[in-house]
Amino acid sequence: MASWATQRRLIYTLSIIGFLAAVLAYPLFSFFYEKPTCFDGVKNQDETGIDCGGSCELLCAFEAVAPVILWSKSLEVEPGLYDAVAYIENPNVGAGARSVPYSFKLYDDRGILVAERSGSTFINPKERLTVFEGRIETGKRTPARTFFEFVADPAWVDTNRTPPALLIQNQIFTDDEEKPKLRALIVNNLLDAVEDISVTALIFDRDDNIVAASKTEVDRLTPESSKTISFIWPQKISAEAIRIEIVPRVNVVGR
């Protein structure tokens, strides 16, 4: 049986070891511990899927629905050149996408591909948006059908931001010359500047069919200011302009 002095030394030694272990445990734990993130490839924290849902900005695929393509059409600008336009609705109230690739495909009356144009666009929450591609070359072939599609599923992010309320005023359309013109005033009544504004003009005939479209860009609107925007077509529009829709877009989802 060990003496009392030996037992006391053993207890003292074990106490020192326990103290050192306690002191070193937290730094070692902190060094090796990896805090859960939304980019670690593991379903942890409060995520509803792997790196999506919950507190993650990225939504899981089942938490949003696909955008709805309402219509798409190509419009002759001049012989051999066409504008392509598509009208899309995002039904998701709290979901937007930063950059979604798309494709326009123009086919002739025999179903043969005439031309193709690709691009990408942002999608704001609960938005009806216009996608426009101008001056697509078709040579001597005439498009009879225009097909628009998103070539990848949107990477939906959780956001409740809404675009700034920009006003369109004083629309003036003149079609009495060889080159139709549309002018309007875009107004920013907010106390903050608005930057990188894309503006699309759509012209519809008596049957509410689109007969012309165009697009322009506004780099910046200072607080409580306005700017004149203009759209010009190189030849007369094929039908009488009955309704005009001018749609400003500002990316609130981010890049």
Side-chain angles (χ1 to χ4, degrees):
M1 182 177 180
S3 66
W4 167 245
T6 301
Q7 292 180 9
R8 188 168 61 179
R9 284 195 298 271
L10 179 61
I11 293 172
Y12 179 76
T13 301
L14 291 175
S15 299
I16 295 296
I17 293 172
F19 174 76
L20 292 174
V23 171
L24 295 174
Y26 180 76
L28 288 173
F29 174 79
S30 300
F31 179 78
F32 289 105
Y33 174 70
E34 293 185 4
K35 184 179 179 180
T37 71
C38 294
F39 311 98
D40 53 17
V42 180
K43 182 182 177 181
N44 44 29
Q45 10 177 30
D46 62 345
E47 299 165 357
T48 53
I50 296 176
D51 292 342
C52 62
S55 58
C56 294
E57 183 185 38
L58 183 67
L59 295 175
C60 297
F62 58 82
E63 295 179 305
V65 299
V68 180
I69 300 168
L70 301 175
W71 52 259
S72 57
K73 191 171 182 180
S74 54
L75 306 161
E76 186 181 53
V77 181
E78 52 187 305
L81 289 175
Y82 284 77
D83 291 337
V85 59
Y87 205 54
I88 299 120
E89 180 178 19
N90 174 20
N92 299 291
V93 176
R98 294 191 173 99
S99 181
V100 189
Y102 62 77
S103 173
F104 278 103
K105 293 181 179 179
L106 282 58
Y107 295 88
D108 64 15
D109 55 3
R110 295 180 295 171
I112 298 174
L113 182 65
V114 173
E116 184 174 1
R117 177 76 64 82
S118 299
S120 63
T121 185
F122 62 89
I123 302 177
N124 290 323
K126 197 61 179 178
E127 176 188 39
R128 282 197 170 187
L129 61 138
T130 301
V131 176
F132 176 89
E133 288 288 343
R135 301 184 70 83
I136 301 174
E137 295 185 10
T138 63
K140 296 181 179 180
R141 300 162 70 182
T142 302
R145 185 170 64 92
T146 302
F147 181 70
F148 174 90
E149 66 174 340
F150 288 110
V151 297
D153 293 331
W156 297 110
V157 296
D158 185 11
T159 179
N160 288 313
R161 297 184 64 188
T162 56
L166 301 175
L167 304 178
I168 301 294
Q169 298 177 346
N170 302 338
Q171 295 182 22
I172 301 175
F173 177 71
T174 56
D175 193 17
D176 53 356
E177 301 175 6
E178 291 185 0
K179 294 185 177 181
K181 298 181 180 65
L182 172 62
R183 290 186 177 87
L185 202 65
I186 183 168
V187 183
N188 175 22
N189 286 329
L190 305 175
L191 298 178
D192 296 317
V194 181
E195 299 181 344
D196 299 328
I197 310 163
S198 64
V199 189
T200 304
L202 307 174
I203 297 179
F204 299 86
D205 65 10
R206 191 175 303 278
D207 297 321
D208 214 32
N209 297 313
I210 186 166
V211 292
S214 188
K215 182 179 178 181
T216 190
E217 304 284 343
V218 177
D219 293 334
R220 191 172 192 268
L221 272 178
T222 56
E224 299 182 312
S225 69
S226 62
K227 185 175 183 178
T228 299
I229 52 176
S230 300
F231 307 88
I232 300 176
W233 288 266
Q235 66 180 17
K236 290 186 70 66
I237 295 172
S238 60
E240 182 183 4
I242 299 298
R243 182 170 70 87
I244 297 174
E245 185 176 342
I246 299 178
V247 185
R249 297 191 69 217
V250 178
N251 184 356
V252 299
V253 186
R255 301 186 187 281

Short mmCIF file of all heavy atoms in Angstrom, two decimals, residues 182-227:
data_model
loop_
_atom_site.label_atom_id
_atom_site.label_comp_id
_atom_site.label_asym_id
_atom_site.label_seq_id
_atom_site.Cartn_x
_atom_site.Cartn_y
_atom_site.Cartn_z
N LEU A 182 -40.06 57.16 -79.93
CA LEU A 182 -40.79 57.16 -78.66
C LEU A 182 -39.92 57.88 -77.64
O LEU A 182 -38.75 57.51 -77.43
CB LEU A 182 -41.09 55.74 -78.20
CG LEU A 182 -41.67 55.58 -76.79
CD1 LEU A 182 -43.03 56.28 -76.67
CD2 LEU A 182 -41.81 54.10 -76.43
N ARG A 183 -40.49 58.90 -77.02
CA ARG A 183 -39.79 59.61 -75.97
C ARG A 183 -40.63 59.60 -74.70
O ARG A 183 -41.86 59.58 -74.76
CB ARG A 183 -39.49 61.06 -76.39
CG ARG A 183 -38.45 61.20 -77.48
CD ARG A 183 -38.12 62.67 -77.73
NE ARG A 183 -37.07 62.82 -78.73
CZ ARG A 183 -37.27 62.88 -80.03
NH1 ARG A 183 -38.52 62.78 -80.49
NH2 ARG A 183 -36.27 63.02 -80.88
N ALA A 184 -39.94 59.60 -73.57
CA ALA A 184 -40.63 59.63 -72.29
C ALA A 184 -39.69 60.19 -71.24
O ALA A 184 -38.49 60.38 -71.47
CB ALA A 184 -41.10 58.23 -71.89
N LEU A 185 -40.25 60.43 -70.08
CA LEU A 185 -39.48 60.94 -68.96
C LEU A 185 -39.45 59.86 -67.88
O LEU A 185 -40.51 59.35 -67.48
CB LEU A 185 -40.14 62.22 -68.41
CG LEU A 185 -39.28 63.19 -67.61
CD1 LEU A 185 -38.17 63.78 -68.49
CD2 LEU A 185 -40.15 64.29 -67.02
N ILE A 186 -38.24 59.49 -67.43
CA ILE A 186 -38.13 58.56 -66.31
C ILE A 186 -37.81 59.39 -65.07
O ILE A 186 -36.90 60.23 -65.08
CB ILE A 186 -37.07 57.47 -66.56
CG1 ILE A 186 -37.04 56.48 -65.38
CG2 ILE A 186 -35.70 58.03 -66.86
CD1 ILE A 186 -36.24 55.23 -65.68
N VAL A 187 -38.58 59.18 -64.00
CA VAL A 187 -38.55 60.06 -62.83
C VAL A 187 -38.16 59.28 -61.58
O VAL A 187 -38.72 58.20 -61.31
CB VAL A 187 -39.91 60.74 -62.61
CG1 VAL A 187 -39.85 61.70 -61.42
CG2 VAL A 187 -40.36 61.47 -63.87
N ASN A 188 -37.22 59.81 -60.83
CA ASN A 188 -36.83 59.26 -59.54
C ASN A 188 -37.23 60.24 -58.45
O ASN A 188 -36.58 61.27 -58.26
CB ASN A 188 -35.31 59.00 -59.50
CG ASN A 188 -34.83 58.54 -58.12
OD1 ASN A 188 -35.61 58.03 -57.33
ND2 ASN A 188 -33.56 58.75 -57.85
N ASN A 189 -38.31 59.94 -57.75
CA ASN A 189 -38.78 60.81 -56.67
C ASN A 189 -38.19 60.43 -55.31
O ASN A 189 -38.58 61.00 -54.29
CB ASN A 189 -40.31 60.78 -56.58
CG ASN A 189 -40.96 61.56 -57.71
OD1 ASN A 189 -40.40 62.54 -58.20
ND2 ASN A 189 -42.14 61.12 -58.14
N LEU A 190 -37.28 59.47 -55.29
CA LEU A 190 -36.71 58.99 -54.04
C LEU A 190 -35.61 59.92 -53.55
O LEU A 190 -35.10 60.77 -54.30
CB LEU A 190 -36.16 57.58 -54.24
CG LEU A 190 -37.16 56.54 -54.78
CD1 LEU A 190 -36.46 55.22 -55.05
CD2 LEU A 190 -38.31 56.34 -53.80
N LEU A 191 -35.20 59.73 -52.30
CA LEU A 191 -34.13 60.52 -51.71
C LEU A 191 -32.77 59.89 -51.93
O LEU A 191 -31.76 60.43 -51.48
CB LEU A 191 -34.38 60.70 -50.20
CG LEU A 191 -35.67 61.45 -49.84
CD1 LEU A 191 -35.82 61.52 -48.33
CD2 LEU A 191 -35.70 62.84 -50.45
N ASP A 192 -32.75 58.74 -52.60
CA ASP A 192 -31.50 58.06 -52.92
C ASP A 192 -31.33 57.99 -54.44
O ASP A 192 -32.31 57.95 -55.19
CB ASP A 192 -31.49 56.63 -52.35
CG ASP A 192 -31.55 56.62 -50.83
OD1 ASP A 192 -30.84 57.44 -50.22
OD2 ASP A 192 -32.30 55.81 -50.27
N ALA A 193 -30.08 57.96 -54.86
CA ALA A 193 -29.80 57.79 -56.29
C ALA A 193 -30.10 56.35 -56.71
O ALA A 193 -30.02 55.42 -55.89
CB ALA A 193 -28.35 58.12 -56.59
N VAL A 194 -30.44 56.17 -57.97
CA VAL A 194 -30.70 54.84 -58.53
C VAL A 194 -29.76 54.66 -59.71
O VAL A 194 -29.67 55.53 -60.59
CB VAL A 194 -32.17 54.68 -58.98
CG1 VAL A 194 -32.40 53.28 -59.53
CG2 VAL A 194 -33.11 54.97 -57.82
N GLU A 195 -29.06 53.53 -59.74
CA GLU A 195 -28.05 53.30 -60.77
C GLU A 195 -28.37 52.05 -61.60
O GLU A 195 -29.14 51.19 -61.18
CB GLU A 195 -26.67 53.16 -60.13
CG GLU A 195 -26.22 54.40 -59.37
CD GLU A 195 -24.85 54.25 -58.76
OE1 GLU A 195 -24.37 53.10 -58.65
OE2 GLU A 195 -24.24 55.28 -58.39
N ASP A 196 -27.75 51.99 -62.77
CA ASP A 196 -27.83 50.82 -63.65
C ASP A 196 -29.28 50.42 -63.94
O ASP A 196 -29.74 49.34 -63.60
CB ASP A 196 -27.07 49.63 -63.05
CG ASP A 196 -25.60 49.94 -62.85
OD1 ASP A 196 -25.04 50.71 -63.65
OD2 ASP A 196 -25.00 49.41 -61.89
N ILE A 197 -29.98 51.31 -64.60
CA ILE A 197 -31.39 51.09 -64.94
C ILE A 197 -31.48 50.66 -66.40
O ILE A 197 -30.97 51.35 -67.29
CB ILE A 197 -32.21 52.38 -64.73
CG1 ILE A 197 -31.95 52.97 -63.34
CG2 ILE A 197 -33.70 52.11 -64.93
CD1 ILE A 197 -32.38 54.42 -63.22
N SER A 198 -32.11 49.53 -66.65
CA SER A 198 -32.42 49.13 -68.02
C SER A 198 -33.90 49.39 -68.27
O SER A 198 -34.74 49.09 -67.42
CB SER A 198 -32.08 47.66 -68.26
OG SER A 198 -32.88 46.82 -67.45
N VAL A 199 -34.19 49.96 -69.43
CA VAL A 199 -35.58 50.35 -69.74
C VAL A 199 -35.96 49.74 -71.08
O VAL A 199 -35.30 49.97 -72.09
CB VAL A 199 -35.72 51.88 -69.79
CG1 VAL A 199 -37.20 52.26 -69.89
CG2 VAL A 199 -35.07 52.54 -68.58
N THR A 200 -37.03 48.98 -71.08
CA THR A 200 -37.54 48.35 -72.30
C THR A 200 -38.87 48.96 -72.69
O THR A 200 -39.74 49.16 -71.83
CB THR A 200 -37.71 46.84 -72.10
OG1 THR A 200 -36.47 46.27 -71.67
CG2 THR A 200 -38.12 46.16 -73.41
N ALA A 201 -39.03 49.26 -73.97
CA ALA A 201 -40.29 49.79 -74.49
C ALA A 201 -40.97 48.72 -75.33
O ALA A 201 -40.35 48.09 -76.18
CB ALA A 201 -40.04 51.03 -75.33
N LEU A 202 -42.25 48.50 -75.08
CA LEU A 202 -43.06 47.53 -75.82
C LEU A 202 -44.24 48.25 -76.44
O LEU A 202 -44.94 49.02 -75.77
CB LEU A 202 -43.57 46.42 -74.89
CG LEU A 202 -42.52 45.70 -74.03
CD1 LEU A 202 -43.20 44.74 -73.07
CD2 LEU A 202 -41.52 44.98 -74.90
N ILE A 203 -44.48 48.01 -77.73
CA ILE A 203 -45.60 48.63 -78.45
C ILE A 203 -46.54 47.53 -78.93
O ILE A 203 -46.10 46.55 -79.56
CB ILE A 203 -45.10 49.48 -79.62
CG1 ILE A 203 -44.22 50.63 -79.09
CG2 ILE A 203 -46.27 50.04 -80.43
CD1 ILE A 203 -43.67 51.52 -80.18
N PHE A 204 -47.85 47.71 -78.65
CA PHE A 204 -48.85 46.70 -78.98
C PHE A 204 -49.88 47.28 -79.94
O PHE A 204 -50.16 48.48 -79.93
CB PHE A 204 -49.56 46.23 -77.70
CG PHE A 204 -48.65 45.58 -76.70
CD1 PHE A 204 -47.96 46.35 -75.76
CD2 PHE A 204 -48.47 44.21 -76.68
CE1 PHE A 204 -47.12 45.76 -74.83
CE2 PHE A 204 -47.64 43.60 -75.76
CZ PHE A 204 -46.95 44.38 -74.83
N ASP A 205 -50.45 46.39 -80.77
CA ASP A 205 -51.46 46.82 -81.73
C ASP A 205 -52.85 46.73 -81.13
O ASP A 205 -53.03 46.49 -79.92
CB ASP A 205 -51.34 46.01 -83.03
CG ASP A 205 -51.67 44.53 -82.83
OD1 ASP A 205 -52.16 44.14 -81.74
OD2 ASP A 205 -51.42 43.74 -83.77
N ARG A 206 -53.86 46.87 -81.98
CA ARG A 206 -55.25 46.87 -81.53
C ARG A 206 -55.66 45.55 -80.88
O ARG A 206 -56.50 45.52 -79.98
CB ARG A 206 -56.16 47.19 -82.71
CG ARG A 206 -57.61 47.49 -82.32
CD ARG A 206 -58.40 47.91 -83.54
NE ARG A 206 -57.79 49.06 -84.19
CZ ARG A 206 -57.98 50.32 -83.79
NH1 ARG A 206 -58.75 50.58 -82.75
NH2 ARG A 206 -57.40 51.32 -84.44
N ASP A 207 -55.06 44.45 -81.31
CA ASP A 207 -55.38 43.13 -80.75
C ASP A 207 -54.45 42.76 -79.60
O ASP A 207 -54.41 41.62 -79.16
CB ASP A 207 -55.28 42.06 -81.84
CG ASP A 207 -56.30 42.29 -82.94
OD1 ASP A 207 -57.45 42.68 -82.61
OD2 ASP A 207 -55.96 42.10 -84.13
N ASP A 208 -53.70 43.73 -79.12
CA ASP A 208 -52.76 43.56 -78.01
C ASP A 208 -51.63 42.59 -78.37
O ASP A 208 -51.08 41.91 -77.49
CB ASP A 208 -53.46 43.09 -76.74
CG ASP A 208 -52.79 43.67 -75.49
OD1 ASP A 208 -52.26 44.79 -75.56
OD2 ASP A 208 -52.78 42.98 -74.45
N ASN A 209 -51.28 42.55 -79.64
CA ASN A 209 -50.10 41.81 -80.07
C ASN A 209 -48.91 42.77 -80.12
O ASN A 209 -49.04 43.91 -80.57
CB ASN A 209 -50.31 41.22 -81.46
CG ASN A 209 -51.43 40.21 -81.48
OD1 ASN A 209 -51.52 39.33 -80.62
ND2 ASN A 209 -52.33 40.33 -82.46
N ILE A 210 -47.75 42.31 -79.68
CA ILE A 210 -46.58 43.17 -79.71
C ILE A 210 -46.11 43.35 -81.14
O ILE A 210 -46.03 42.39 -81.92
CB ILE A 210 -45.45 42.61 -78.81
CG1 ILE A 210 -44.29 43.61 -78.76
CG2 ILE A 210 -44.99 41.24 -79.27
CD1 ILE A 210 -43.29 43.33 -77.68
N VAL A 211 -45.82 44.61 -81.51
CA VAL A 211 -45.40 44.90 -82.88
C VAL A 211 -44.03 45.57 -82.94
O VAL A 211 -43.43 45.67 -84.01
CB VAL A 211 -46.44 45.78 -83.60
CG1 VAL A 211 -47.73 45.00 -83.83
CG2 VAL A 211 -46.72 47.07 -82.82
N ALA A 212 -43.53 46.03 -81.79
CA ALA A 212 -42.20 46.63 -81.76
C ALA A 212 -41.68 46.64 -80.33
O ALA A 212 -42.46 46.68 -79.37
CB ALA A 212 -42.22 48.06 -82.32
N ALA A 213 -40.36 46.58 -80.20
CA ALA A 213 -39.72 46.63 -78.88
C ALA A 213 -38.35 47.27 -79.04
O ALA A 213 -37.73 47.23 -80.10
CB ALA A 213 -39.61 45.24 -78.28
N SER A 214 -37.87 47.85 -77.96
CA SER A 214 -36.54 48.43 -77.96
C SER A 214 -36.07 48.56 -76.52
O SER A 214 -36.85 48.40 -75.58
CB SER A 214 -36.54 49.80 -78.65
OG SER A 214 -35.21 50.28 -78.81
N LYS A 215 -34.79 48.85 -76.37
CA LYS A 215 -34.21 48.91 -75.02
C LYS A 215 -33.17 50.01 -74.95
O LYS A 215 -32.45 50.27 -75.92
CB LYS A 215 -33.57 47.56 -74.67
CG LYS A 215 -32.98 47.46 -73.27
CD LYS A 215 -32.39 46.08 -73.04
CE LYS A 215 -31.74 45.95 -71.68
NZ LYS A 215 -31.15 44.60 -71.47
N THR A 216 -33.09 50.67 -73.79
CA THR A 216 -32.06 51.66 -73.54
C THR A 216 -31.58 51.52 -72.10
O THR A 216 -32.19 50.80 -71.30
CB THR A 216 -32.59 53.09 -73.80
OG1 THR A 216 -31.50 54.01 -73.77
CG2 THR A 216 -33.60 53.51 -72.75
N GLU A 217 -30.48 52.20 -71.79
CA GLU A 217 -29.89 52.11 -70.46
C GLU A 217 -29.75 53.51 -69.87
O GLU A 217 -29.45 54.48 -70.57
CB GLU A 217 -28.50 51.46 -70.51
CG GLU A 217 -28.48 50.07 -71.16
CD GLU A 217 -29.03 48.99 -70.27
OE1 GLU A 217 -29.12 49.23 -69.04
OE2 GLU A 217 -29.37 47.91 -70.79
N VAL A 218 -29.97 53.61 -68.56
CA VAL A 218 -29.74 54.85 -67.81
C VAL A 218 -28.73 54.54 -66.73
O VAL A 218 -28.99 53.71 -65.84
CB VAL A 218 -31.05 55.39 -67.20
CG1 VAL A 218 -30.77 56.65 -66.38
CG2 VAL A 218 -32.08 55.66 -68.28
N ASP A 219 -27.57 55.18 -66.80
CA ASP A 219 -26.50 54.88 -65.85
C ASP A 219 -26.86 55.26 -64.42
O ASP A 219 -26.63 54.49 -63.48
CB ASP A 219 -25.20 55.60 -66.25
CG ASP A 219 -24.63 55.06 -67.55
OD1 ASP A 219 -24.90 53.89 -67.87
OD2 ASP A 219 -23.92 55.81 -68.23
N ARG A 220 -27.45 56.45 -64.27
CA ARG A 220 -27.70 56.94 -62.90
C ARG A 220 -28.78 58.01 -62.91
O ARG A 220 -28.80 58.88 -63.78
CB ARG A 220 -26.41 57.50 -62.30
CG ARG A 220 -26.47 57.79 -60.80
CD ARG A 220 -25.07 58.14 -60.30
NE ARG A 220 -25.02 58.15 -58.85
CZ ARG A 220 -25.22 59.23 -58.09
NH1 ARG A 220 -25.49 60.40 -58.68
NH2 ARG A 220 -25.15 59.17 -56.78
N LEU A 221 -29.66 57.92 -61.93
CA LEU A 221 -30.63 58.98 -61.67
C LEU A 221 -30.37 59.50 -60.27
O LEU A 221 -30.49 58.76 -59.29
CB LEU A 221 -32.06 58.45 -61.78
CG LEU A 221 -32.74 58.47 -63.15
CD1 LEU A 221 -34.13 57.86 -63.03
CD2 LEU A 221 -32.83 59.87 -63.71
N THR A 222 -30.01 60.76 -60.15
CA THR A 222 -29.77 61.34 -58.84
C THR A 222 -31.09 61.48 -58.08
O THR A 222 -32.18 61.41 -58.67
CB THR A 222 -29.09 62.72 -58.99
OG1 THR A 222 -29.91 63.55 -59.82
CG2 THR A 222 -27.71 62.56 -59.62
N PRO A 223 -31.03 61.70 -56.76
CA PRO A 223 -32.28 61.84 -55.99
C PRO A 223 -33.17 62.96 -56.52
O PRO A 223 -32.69 64.03 -56.90
CB PRO A 223 -31.76 62.15 -54.57
CG PRO A 223 -30.39 61.57 -54.53
CD PRO A 223 -29.84 61.75 -55.91
N GLU A 224 -34.44 62.69 -56.56
CA GLU A 224 -35.46 63.66 -56.98
C GLU A 224 -35.10 64.32 -58.31
O GLU A 224 -35.04 65.55 -58.44
CB GLU A 224 -35.66 64.73 -55.88
CG GLU A 224 -36.14 64.14 -54.56
CD GLU A 224 -36.38 65.19 -53.51
OE1 GLU A 224 -35.49 66.06 -53.33
OE2 GLU A 224 -37.45 65.16 -52.88
N SER A 225 -34.87 63.47 -59.30
CA SER A 225 -34.49 63.98 -60.62
C SER A 225 -35.23 63.20 -61.70
O SER A 225 -35.90 62.20 -61.43
CB SER A 225 -32.98 63.86 -60.83
OG SER A 225 -32.60 62.50 -60.95
N SER A 226 -35.07 63.64 -62.93
CA SER A 226 -35.69 62.97 -64.07
C SER A 226 -34.74 63.03 -65.26
O SER A 226 -33.80 63.83 -65.28
CB SER A 226 -37.04 63.60 -64.42
OG SER A 226 -36.87 64.95 -64.80
N LYS A 227 -35.04 62.20 -66.25
CA LYS A 227 -34.21 62.17 -67.45
C LYS A 227 -35.06 61.74 -68.63
O LYS A 227 -35.92 60.86 -68.51
CB LYS A 227 -33.04 61.20 -67.27
CG LYS A 227 -32.06 61.19 -68.43
CD LYS A 227 -30.86 60.30 -68.12
CE LYS A 227 -29.85 60.35 -69.26
NZ LYS A 227 -28.66 59.53 -68.95
#
